[in-house]
Amino acid sequence: MTDPYKVLGISPDATDEEVKKAYRRMAMKYHPDKVANAGEQIRQQATEKFRKINEAYEHIKKARGM
């Protein structure tokens, strides 16, 4: 797995609140619904990026006991 902190664009010493904010920011930016009217390839890329963002966030939450 790619470094979950790198996926969210934060450092490992970020606070729990910073982790949540980074997740929300990335989720809003890459949510597949944002590109619903774009081409199929762009939609697939957004879906894949969104999946990685969710996996990274879940990994960090589990590791930190959030």
Side-chain angles (χ1 to χ4, degrees):
M1 175 184 209
T2 308
D3 178 10
Y5 292 97
K6 193 175 283 190
V7 172
L8 295 181
I10 54 175
S11 68
D13 60 353
T15 66
D16 289 353
E17 190 59 35
E18 289 170 331
V19 171
K20 289 177 188 176
K21 285 181 182 179
Y23 168 72
R24 285 189 213 110
R25 183 176 60 248
M26 296 294 281
M28 290 290 287
K29 184 175 180 180
Y30 291 102
H31 196 284
D33 288 350
K34 289 268 191 188
V35 293
N37 296 327
E40 181 63 27
Q41 184 179 5
I42 293 172
R43 243 189 344 268
Q44 287 176 349
Q45 289 172 339
T47 300
E48 180 63 20
K49 178 74 171 174
F50 191 66
R51 184 185 63 75
K52 289 180 181 179
I53 291 166
N54 282 323
E55 285 178 1
Y57 185 55
E58 289 303 317
H59 179 79
I60 293 169
K61 283 193 332 185
K62 186 176 180 183
R64 291 182 172 212
M66 292 170 59

